[in-house]
Amino acid sequence: MQVPASFEYRRAESVDDALALLERFGEEARVIAGGHSLLPMMKLRLARPGLLVDINDLHELDYVRQEGAELCIGALTRHRGLLESELVGRLFPIFHDAERVIADPPVRNRGTIGGSLCQADPAEDLSAVCAAVRAVAVVLGHGGRRPVPMADFYQGPYETDVGLGEMLVEVRVPILPNAGSAYEKVERKTGDWAIAAAGAALSLVDGRIGTAGVGLAAVGVSAVGYRRAEDSLVGREPSEEAFAAAGRIAAEDCDPVTDTRGTAAYKRHLAGELTERALRRAAERARRS
């Protein structure tokens, strides 16, 4: 039977209380909300925190709202909350695309956007989504808040820019006019981790692509880093030729490995094809916006 190593447990009463516990225990402390990624790792003893800081009572971190030209999502917002939010679906349908194929209802009922991003699993869906829409993570510590772009938030597999005594409290997504987004995923069975997945977001200016974002899951060490594919789209008409070219570049720049889900060549092919499909759907949505 898989049993975690011994640990202490504290239920935070406020954000300040959580930060104080994280600062006091340092590297020994881990935040827990849904726990669907952390607890299995603890059972396998791949993670051995000395303290779990439970933040499920911090309802001030559970919200979805628009503030000016940004969509603001609290770190404790559940997958289900994102999926059921009309505001999220209207502004960024890519979130709804992804949430429909994330795990199963028990996971979506308890898992949070903050936990998903902080796990920094290269195969995690919302990391690719947030990379595509150029989201900004807001990290809070006793030194104050600091915004961290997704490109800087991920430091490597299972590593983020969240430091000791800090926690992710919010995700902010810039809202652009005439914009669309979409997510495409191939999995072995419903609710499984992706064999490969792609998120895309773009905006149109005078009939041409003004901005473009691409994020990939399960085909490299990070969901970010596809700037060549993004840059290849800017200034071009949203055409099949442009999307195919961007897909080829994304496939070239990803770094999949062969495993039980498929060969590296197969995953690279999927990366290109899914990027092209996501861009096509994002453009269709942008035209209708």
Side-chain angles (χ1 to χ4, degrees):
M1 182 171 62
Q2 297 172 345
V3 179
S6 61
F7 60 90
E8 291 188 51
Y9 170 87
R10 303 287 179 86
R11 198 170 183 93
E13 297 179 355
S14 66
V15 172
D16 286 342
D17 184 30
L19 290 174
L21 289 167
L22 293 172
E23 187 171 43
R24 175 183 170 190
F25 285 84
E27 294 181 352
E28 290 293 307
R30 292 288 297 272
V31 170
I32 187 168
H36 293 289
S37 297
L38 178 58
L39 292 179
M41 294 182 70
M42 290 175 62
K43 288 181 178 180
L44 294 171
R45 302 207 175 189
L46 297 174
R48 301 169 66 103
L51 172 70
L52 290 185
V53 180
D54 189 331
I55 63 169
N56 279 292
D57 288 342
L58 307 188
H59 303 297
E60 63 266 39
L61 299 182
D62 183 3
Y63 58 84
V64 175
R65 58 179 178 247
Q66 183 176 348
E67 293 183 2
E70 289 184 312
L71 176 68
C72 303
I73 305 171
L76 198 59
T77 303
R78 313 286 176 179
H79 294 296
R80 179 179 175 180
L82 289 172
L83 184 56
E84 294 179 347
S85 169
E86 183 276 334
L87 180 65
V88 170
R90 175 165 50 85
L91 294 175
F92 296 99
I94 186 174
F95 279 97
H96 281 192
D97 292 344
E99 290 293 356
R100 292 189 184 100
V101 294
I102 288 177
D104 50 33
V107 171
R108 293 195 292 269
N109 286 341
R110 296 297 300 165
T112 66
I113 185 173
S116 295
L117 298 184
C118 288
Q119 180 68 8
D121 190 314
E124 197 277 316
D125 295 285
L126 289 188
S127 296
V129 168
C130 288
V133 298
R134 304 285 178 86
V136 174
V138 179
V139 178
L140 177 65
H142 283 293
R145 289 175 169 246
R146 58 186 183 92
V148 184
M150 283 294 118
D152 300 322
F153 185 75
Y154 295 109
Q155 302 292 303
Y158 306 102
E159 295 183 7
T160 72
D161 190 53
V162 179
L164 296 180
E166 293 183 323
M167 59 187 291
L168 174 65
V169 293
E170 187 178 56
V171 178
R172 304 179 74 92
V173 189
I175 302 170
L176 301 176
N178 304 316
S181 58
Y183 192 70
E184 296 281 349
K185 179 178 180 178
V186 171
E187 53 196 340
R188 294 182 301 180
K189 60 182 180 180
T190 301
D192 195 9
W193 290 103
I195 298 174
L202 54 80
S203 65
L204 301 179
V205 179
D206 296 328
R208 295 183 177 272
I209 299 173
T211 61
V214 173
L216 301 183
V219 290
V221 297
S222 176
V224 299
Y226 298 96
R227 182 54 60 86
R228 280 208 313 140
E230 296 167 345
D231 290 345
S232 75
L233 292 161
V234 176
R236 298 188 64 176
E237 293 184 355
S239 64
E240 290 297 317
E241 293 78 9
F243 302 152
R248 287 193 296 270
I249 295 171
E252 291 171 2
D253 290 352
C254 70
D255 188 25
V257 296
T258 297
D259 58 20
T260 57
R261 287 185 169 83
T263 66
Y266 174 53
K267 294 179 181 181
R268 191 180 299 277
H269 166 74
L270 285 178
E273 179 64 28
L274 296 179
T275 298
E276 185 176 345
R277 293 182 189 180
L279 286 166
R280 184 183 302 119
R281 282 210 299 141
E284 291 171 354
R285 287 168 169 173
R287 293 188 188 101
R288 296 197 302 265
S289 69

mmCIF file of all heavy atoms in Angstrom, residues 9-45:
data_model
loop_
_atom_site.group_PDB
_atom_site.id
_atom_site.type_symbol
_atom_site.label_atom_id
_atom_site.label_comp_id
_atom_site.label_asym_id
_atom_site.label_seq_id
_atom_site.Cartn_x
_atom_site.Cartn_y
_atom_site.Cartn_z
ATOM 1 N N TYR A 9 -0.085 19.320 9.160
ATOM 2 C CA TYR A 9 -1.186 19.872 8.377
ATOM 3 C C TYR A 9 -1.720 21.117 9.082
ATOM 4 O O TYR A 9 -1.980 21.096 10.277
ATOM 5 C CB TYR A 9 -2.303 18.829 8.233
ATOM 6 C CG TYR A 9 -3.590 19.354 7.642
ATOM 7 C CD1 TYR A 9 -3.778 19.397 6.266
ATOM 8 C CD2 TYR A 9 -4.620 19.801 8.473
ATOM 9 C CE1 TYR A 9 -4.964 19.875 5.730
ATOM 10 C CE2 TYR A 9 -5.815 20.276 7.930
ATOM 11 C CZ TYR A 9 -5.972 20.308 6.562
ATOM 12 O OH TYR A 9 -7.144 20.779 6.032
ATOM 13 N N ARG A 10 -1.834 22.198 8.322
ATOM 14 C CA ARG A 10 -2.437 23.431 8.847
ATOM 15 C C ARG A 10 -3.472 23.936 7.844
ATOM 16 O O ARG A 10 -3.212 23.951 6.641
ATOM 17 C CB ARG A 10 -1.370 24.517 9.062
ATOM 18 C CG ARG A 10 -0.235 24.098 9.997
ATOM 19 C CD ARG A 10 -0.662 24.044 11.432
ATOM 20 N NE ARG A 10 0.437 23.615 12.278
ATOM 21 C CZ ARG A 10 1.355 24.434 12.789
ATOM 22 N NH1 ARG A 10 1.283 25.739 12.526
ATOM 23 N NH2 ARG A 10 2.328 23.966 13.547
ATOM 24 N N ARG A 11 -4.612 24.359 8.335
ATOM 25 C CA ARG A 11 -5.652 24.931 7.487
ATOM 26 C C ARG A 11 -5.581 26.447 7.618
ATOM 27 O O ARG A 11 -5.899 26.998 8.678
ATOM 28 C CB ARG A 11 -7.025 24.410 7.894
ATOM 29 C CG ARG A 11 -8.110 24.591 6.840
ATOM 30 C CD ARG A 11 -9.373 23.846 7.208
ATOM 31 N NE ARG A 11 -10.385 23.944 6.177
ATOM 32 C CZ ARG A 11 -10.562 23.055 5.197
ATOM 33 N NH1 ARG A 11 -9.749 21.995 5.137
ATOM 34 N NH2 ARG A 11 -11.504 23.210 4.287
ATOM 35 N N ALA A 12 -5.147 27.112 6.546
ATOM 36 C CA ALA A 12 -4.949 28.557 6.589
ATOM 37 C C ALA A 12 -6.283 29.272 6.769
ATOM 38 O O ALA A 12 -7.288 28.904 6.152
ATOM 39 C CB ALA A 12 -4.265 29.036 5.319
ATOM 40 N N GLU A 13 -6.295 30.309 7.600
ATOM 41 C CA GLU A 13 -7.516 31.079 7.859
ATOM 42 C C GLU A 13 -7.588 32.334 7.009
ATOM 43 O O GLU A 13 -8.652 32.950 6.907
ATOM 44 C CB GLU A 13 -7.584 31.444 9.339
ATOM 45 C CG GLU A 13 -7.667 30.219 10.262
ATOM 46 C CD GLU A 13 -7.699 30.605 11.724
ATOM 47 O OE1 GLU A 13 -7.561 31.823 12.020
ATOM 48 O OE2 GLU A 13 -7.874 29.706 12.572
ATOM 49 N N SER A 14 -6.473 32.711 6.412
ATOM 50 C CA SER A 14 -6.433 33.899 5.561
ATOM 51 C C SER A 14 -5.220 33.787 4.649
ATOM 52 O O SER A 14 -4.350 32.924 4.860
ATOM 53 C CB SER A 14 -6.339 35.178 6.397
ATOM 54 O OG SER A 14 -5.099 35.218 7.090
ATOM 55 N N VAL A 15 -5.156 34.660 3.653
ATOM 56 C CA VAL A 15 -3.984 34.663 2.773
ATOM 57 C C VAL A 15 -2.731 34.993 3.576
ATOM 58 O O VAL A 15 -1.683 34.372 3.399
ATOM 59 C CB VAL A 15 -4.191 35.671 1.622
ATOM 60 C CG1 VAL A 15 -2.898 35.821 0.818
ATOM 61 C CG2 VAL A 15 -5.326 35.218 0.710
ATOM 62 N N ASP A 16 -2.836 35.962 4.482
ATOM 63 C CA ASP A 16 -1.670 36.320 5.306
ATOM 64 C C ASP A 16 -1.234 35.144 6.174
ATOM 65 O O ASP A 16 -0.029 34.922 6.373
ATOM 66 C CB ASP A 16 -2.007 37.526 6.193
ATOM 67 C CG ASP A 16 -2.070 38.829 5.405
ATOM 68 O OD1 ASP A 16 -1.527 38.867 4.284
ATOM 69 O OD2 ASP A 16 -2.662 39.799 5.921
ATOM 70 N N ASP A 17 -2.201 34.396 6.691
ATOM 71 C CA ASP A 17 -1.874 33.217 7.497
ATOM 72 C C ASP A 17 -1.141 32.187 6.652
ATOM 73 O O ASP A 17 -0.140 31.607 7.092
ATOM 74 C CB ASP A 17 -3.163 32.628 8.069
ATOM 75 C CG ASP A 17 -2.913 31.451 9.008
ATOM 76 O OD1 ASP A 17 -1.848 31.425 9.662
ATOM 77 O OD2 ASP A 17 -3.775 30.557 9.077
ATOM 78 N N ALA A 18 -1.614 31.963 5.435
ATOM 79 C CA ALA A 18 -0.957 31.004 4.544
ATOM 80 C C ALA A 18 0.470 31.445 4.233
ATOM 81 O O ALA A 18 1.410 30.632 4.268
ATOM 82 C CB ALA A 18 -1.760 30.856 3.252
ATOM 83 N N LEU A 19 0.651 32.723 3.940
ATOM 84 C CA LEU A 19 1.992 33.231 3.630
ATOM 85 C C LEU A 19 2.928 33.100 4.825
ATOM 86 O O LEU A 19 4.106 32.766 4.678
ATOM 87 C CB LEU A 19 1.909 34.691 3.184
ATOM 88 C CG LEU A 19 1.257 34.943 1.824
ATOM 89 C CD1 LEU A 19 1.113 36.437 1.585
ATOM 90 C CD2 LEU A 19 2.069 34.300 0.704
ATOM 91 N N ALA A 20 2.394 33.353 6.022
ATOM 92 C CA ALA A 20 3.224 33.231 7.226
ATOM 93 C C ALA A 20 3.685 31.791 7.422
ATOM 94 O O ALA A 20 4.846 31.543 7.785
ATOM 95 C CB ALA A 20 2.431 33.715 8.443
ATOM 96 N N LEU A 21 2.793 30.836 7.184
ATOM 97 C CA LEU A 21 3.162 29.432 7.317
ATOM 98 C C LEU A 21 4.191 29.032 6.263
ATOM 99 O O LEU A 21 5.160 28.311 6.554
ATOM 100 C CB LEU A 21 1.919 28.552 7.191
ATOM 101 C CG LEU A 21 0.942 28.601 8.362
ATOM 102 C CD1 LEU A 21 -0.381 27.938 7.996
ATOM 103 C CD2 LEU A 21 1.551 27.918 9.596
ATOM 104 N N LEU A 22 3.999 29.506 5.036
ATOM 105 C CA LEU A 22 4.948 29.190 3.969
ATOM 106 C C LEU A 22 6.324 29.783 4.258
ATOM 107 O O LEU A 22 7.358 29.143 4.011
ATOM 108 C CB LEU A 22 4.417 29.715 2.631
ATOM 109 C CG LEU A 22 3.159 29.029 2.090
ATOM 110 C CD1 LEU A 22 2.641 29.771 0.866
ATOM 111 C CD2 LEU A 22 3.446 27.577 1.735
ATOM 112 N N GLU A 23 6.336 30.988 4.794
ATOM 113 C CA GLU A 23 7.614 31.627 5.108
ATOM 114 C C GLU A 23 8.285 30.929 6.290
ATOM 115 O O GLU A 23 9.504 30.715 6.294
ATOM 116 C CB GLU A 23 7.385 33.100 5.416
ATOM 117 C CG GLU A 23 8.673 33.889 5.593
ATOM 118 C CD GLU A 23 8.425 35.380 5.676
ATOM 119 O OE1 GLU A 23 7.461 35.788 6.370
ATOM 120 O OE2 GLU A 23 9.183 36.136 5.052
ATOM 121 N N ARG A 24 7.502 30.529 7.263
ATOM 122 C CA ARG A 24 8.056 29.899 8.468
ATOM 123 C C ARG A 24 8.678 28.536 8.164
ATOM 124 O O ARG A 24 9.757 28.207 8.648
ATOM 125 C CB ARG A 24 6.959 29.751 9.516
ATOM 126 C CG ARG A 24 7.388 28.990 10.766
ATOM 127 C CD ARG A 24 6.213 28.825 11.715
ATOM 128 N NE ARG A 24 6.510 27.927 12.806
ATOM 129 C CZ ARG A 24 5.611 27.464 13.665
ATOM 130 N NH1 ARG A 24 4.345 27.855 13.563
ATOM 131 N NH2 ARG A 24 5.952 26.636 14.631
ATOM 132 N N PHE A 25 7.992 27.743 7.340
ATOM 133 C CA PHE A 25 8.456 26.380 7.087
ATOM 134 C C PHE A 25 9.334 26.262 5.841
ATOM 135 O O PHE A 25 9.928 25.211 5.605
ATOM 136 C CB PHE A 25 7.260 25.429 6.989
ATOM 137 C CG PHE A 25 6.637 25.094 8.309
ATOM 138 C CD1 PHE A 25 5.701 25.935 8.891
ATOM 139 C CD2 PHE A 25 6.999 23.936 8.984
ATOM 140 C CE1 PHE A 25 5.130 25.628 10.120
ATOM 141 C CE2 PHE A 25 6.434 23.619 10.207
ATOM 142 C CZ PHE A 25 5.493 24.470 10.773
ATOM 143 N N GLY A 26 9.381 27.304 5.022
ATOM 144 C CA GLY A 26 10.292 27.322 3.889
ATOM 145 C C GLY A 26 10.087 26.170 2.918
ATOM 146 O O GLY A 26 8.971 25.875 2.494
ATOM 147 N N GLU A 27 11.185 25.498 2.575
ATOM 148 C CA GLU A 27 11.147 24.422 1.583
ATOM 149 C C GLU A 27 10.309 23.237 2.026
ATOM 150 O O GLU A 27 9.931 22.399 1.195
ATOM 151 C CB GLU A 27 12.561 23.958 1.259
ATOM 152 C CG GLU A 27 13.413 25.009 0.550
ATOM 153 C CD GLU A 27 14.790 24.489 0.226
ATOM 154 O OE1 GLU A 27 15.129 23.367 0.688
ATOM 155 O OE2 GLU A 27 15.530 25.184 -0.487
ATOM 156 N N GLU A 28 10.020 23.136 3.306
ATOM 157 C CA GLU A 28 9.243 22.006 3.817
ATOM 158 C C GLU A 28 7.747 22.146 3.542
ATOM 159 O O GLU A 28 7.000 21.168 3.636
ATOM 160 C CB GLU A 28 9.449 21.871 5.335
ATOM 161 C CG GLU A 28 10.836 21.403 5.729
ATOM 162 C CD GLU A 28 11.081 19.970 5.284
ATOM 163 O OE1 GLU A 28 10.263 19.097 5.609
ATOM 164 O OE2 GLU A 28 12.078 19.746 4.574
ATOM 165 N N ALA A 29 7.287 23.360 3.190
ATOM 166 C CA ALA A 29 5.854 23.624 3.069
ATOM 167 C C ALA A 29 5.382 23.511 1.630
ATOM 168 O O ALA A 29 6.075 23.919 0.694
ATOM 169 C CB ALA A 29 5.534 25.011 3.610
ATOM 170 N N ARG A 30 4.177 22.968 1.458
ATOM 171 C CA ARG A 30 3.503 22.925 0.163
ATOM 172 C C ARG A 30 2.049 23.333 0.343
ATOM 173 O O ARG A 30 1.403 22.949 1.331
ATOM 174 C CB ARG A 30 3.564 21.510 -0.437
ATOM 175 C CG ARG A 30 4.955 21.049 -0.846
ATOM 176 C CD ARG A 30 5.450 21.778 -2.086
ATOM 177 N NE ARG A 30 4.621 21.513 -3.251
ATOM 178 C CZ ARG A 30 4.809 20.482 -4.080
ATOM 179 N NH1 ARG A 30 5.784 19.598 -3.852
ATOM 180 N NH2 ARG A 30 4.040 20.327 -5.137
ATOM 181 N N VAL A 31 1.557 24.094 -0.611
ATOM 182 C CA VAL A 31 0.141 24.487 -0.611
ATOM 183 C C VAL A 31 -0.684 23.350 -1.187
ATOM 184 O O VAL A 31 -0.288 22.691 -2.151
ATOM 185 C CB VAL A 31 -0.059 25.769 -1.444
ATOM 186 C CG1 VAL A 31 -1.546 26.051 -1.649
ATOM 187 C CG2 VAL A 31 0.617 26.953 -0.766
ATOM 188 N N ILE A 32 -1.871 23.116 -0.600
ATOM 189 C CA ILE A 32 -2.779 22.107 -1.128
ATOM 190 C C ILE A 32 -4.187 22.695 -1.225
ATOM 191 O O ILE A 32 -4.640 23.406 -0.339
ATOM 192 C CB ILE A 32 -2.783 20.823 -0.267
ATOM 193 C CG1 ILE A 32 -3.610 19.732 -0.963
ATOM 194 C CG2 ILE A 32 -3.280 21.087 1.142
ATOM 195 C CD1 ILE A 32 -3.426 18.363 -0.347
ATOM 196 N N ALA A 33 -4.841 22.420 -2.358
ATOM 197 C CA ALA A 33 -6.244 22.809 -2.551
ATOM 198 C C ALA A 33 -6.998 21.574 -3.014
ATOM 199 O O ALA A 33 -7.583 20.852 -2.229
ATOM 200 C CB ALA A 33 -6.356 23.958 -3.548
ATOM 201 N N GLY A 34 -6.931 21.273 -4.327
ATOM 202 C CA GLY A 34 -7.547 20.042 -4.824
ATOM 203 C C GLY A 34 -6.735 18.809 -4.451
ATOM 204 O O GLY A 34 -7.266 17.783 -4.041
ATOM 205 N N GLY A 35 -5.417 18.915 -4.624
ATOM 206 C CA GLY A 35 -4.516 17.833 -4.225
ATOM 207 C C GLY A 35 -4.411 16.675 -5.197
ATOM 208 O O GLY A 35 -3.750 15.678 -4.898
ATOM 209 N N HIS A 36 -5.016 16.791 -6.381
ATOM 210 C CA HIS A 36 -5.048 15.647 -7.296
ATOM 211 C C HIS A 36 -3.687 15.341 -7.909
ATOM 212 O O HIS A 36 -3.469 14.231 -8.400
ATOM 213 C CB HIS A 36 -6.064 15.888 -8.409
ATOM 214 C CG HIS A 36 -7.473 15.907 -7.913
ATOM 215 N ND1 HIS A 36 -8.127 14.780 -7.488
ATOM 216 C CD2 HIS A 36 -8.354 16.929 -7.736
ATOM 217 C CE1 HIS A 36 -9.348 15.086 -7.099
ATOM 218 N NE2 HIS A 36 -9.508 16.384 -7.225
ATOM 219 N N SER A 37 -2.780 16.287 -7.916
ATOM 220 C CA SER A 37 -1.423 16.034 -8.394
ATOM 221 C C SER A 37 -0.465 15.785 -7.228
ATOM 222 O O SER A 37 0.378 14.888 -7.281
ATOM 223 C CB SER A 37 -0.926 17.218 -9.230
ATOM 224 O OG SER A 37 -1.704 17.394 -10.378
ATOM 225 N N LEU A 38 -0.610 16.583 -6.178
ATOM 226 C CA LEU A 38 0.321 16.492 -5.055
ATOM 227 C C LEU A 38 0.175 15.189 -4.272
ATOM 228 O O LEU A 38 1.167 14.531 -3.943
ATOM 229 C CB LEU A 38 0.128 17.693 -4.121
ATOM 230 C CG LEU A 38 0.995 17.722 -2.861
ATOM 231 C CD1 LEU A 38 2.474 17.691 -3.221
ATOM 232 C CD2 LEU A 38 0.673 18.957 -2.027
ATOM 233 N N LEU A 39 -1.050 14.795 -3.957
ATOM 234 C CA LEU A 39 -1.240 13.613 -3.111
ATOM 235 C C LEU A 39 -0.718 12.324 -3.753
ATOM 236 O O LEU A 39 -0.070 11.522 -3.067
ATOM 237 C CB LEU A 39 -2.710 13.479 -2.718
ATOM 238 C CG LEU A 39 -3.235 14.569 -1.772
ATOM 239 C CD1 LEU A 39 -4.706 14.340 -1.470
ATOM 240 C CD2 LEU A 39 -2.432 14.619 -0.483
ATOM 241 N N PRO A 40 -0.961 12.083 -5.049
ATOM 242 C CA PRO A 40 -0.349 10.887 -5.657
ATOM 243 C C PRO A 40 1.172 10.908 -5.594
ATOM 244 O O PRO A 40 1.802 9.862 -5.383
ATOM 245 C CB PRO A 40 -0.859 10.937 -7.103
ATOM 246 C CG PRO A 40 -2.135 11.676 -7.030
ATOM 247 C CD PRO A 40 -1.923 12.725 -5.979
ATOM 248 N N MET A 41 1.776 12.088 -5.766
ATOM 249 C CA MET A 41 3.231 12.170 -5.671
ATOM 250 C C MET A 41 3.698 11.905 -4.248
ATOM 251 O O MET A 41 4.754 11.298 -4.036
ATOM 252 C CB MET A 41 3.704 13.546 -6.149
ATOM 253 C CG MET A 41 3.461 13.792 -7.628
ATOM 254 S SD MET A 41 4.073 15.387 -8.195
ATOM 255 C CE MET A 41 5.849 15.133 -8.113
ATOM 256 N N MET A 42 2.901 12.342 -3.264
ATOM 257 C CA MET A 42 3.254 12.061 -1.871
ATOM 258 C C MET A 42 3.142 10.565 -1.567
ATOM 259 O O MET A 42 3.965 10.003 -0.838
ATOM 260 C CB MET A 42 2.367 12.867 -0.932
ATOM 261 C CG MET A 42 2.656 14.364 -0.951
ATOM 262 S SD MET A 42 1.502 15.327 0.060
ATOM 263 C CE MET A 42 1.818 14.649 1.695
ATOM 264 N N LYS A 43 2.115 9.907 -2.120
ATOM 265 C CA LYS A 43 1.966 8.464 -1.893
ATOM 266 C C LYS A 43 3.144 7.686 -2.468
ATOM 267 O O LYS A 43 3.572 6.675 -1.897
ATOM 268 C CB LYS A 43 0.657 7.977 -2.509
ATOM 269 C CG LYS A 43 -0.584 8.424 -1.758
ATOM 270 C CD LYS A 43 -1.840 7.872 -2.412
ATOM 271 C CE LYS A 43 -3.091 8.281 -1.642
ATOM 272 N NZ LYS A 43 -4.326 7.739 -2.270
ATOM 273 N N LEU A 44 3.672 8.155 -3.598
ATOM 274 C CA LEU A 44 4.839 7.518 -4.212
ATOM 275 C C LEU A 44 6.138 8.006 -3.576
ATOM 276 O O LEU A 44 7.214 7.535 -3.948
ATOM 277 C CB LEU A 44 4.863 7.810 -5.707
ATOM 278 C CG LEU A 44 3.724 7.193 -6.525
ATOM 279 C CD1 LEU A 44 3.740 7.747 -7.949
ATOM 280 C CD2 LEU A 44 3.828 5.674 -6.541
ATOM 281 N N ARG A 45 6.023 8.957 -2.670
ATOM 282 C CA ARG A 45 7.161 9.591 -1.984
ATOM 283 C C ARG A 45 8.104 10.301 -2.951
ATOM 284 O O ARG A 45 9.300 10.435 -2.684
ATOM 285 C CB ARG A 45 7.904 8.562 -1.116
ATOM 286 C CG ARG A 45 6.968 7.928 -0.085
ATOM 287 C CD ARG A 45 7.662 7.439 1.156
ATOM 288 N NE ARG A 45 6.679 6.951 2.122
ATOM 289 C CZ ARG A 45 6.976 6.617 3.374
ATOM 290 N NH1 ARG A 45 8.230 6.718 3.806
ATOM 291 N NH2 ARG A 45 6.047 6.186 4.197
#
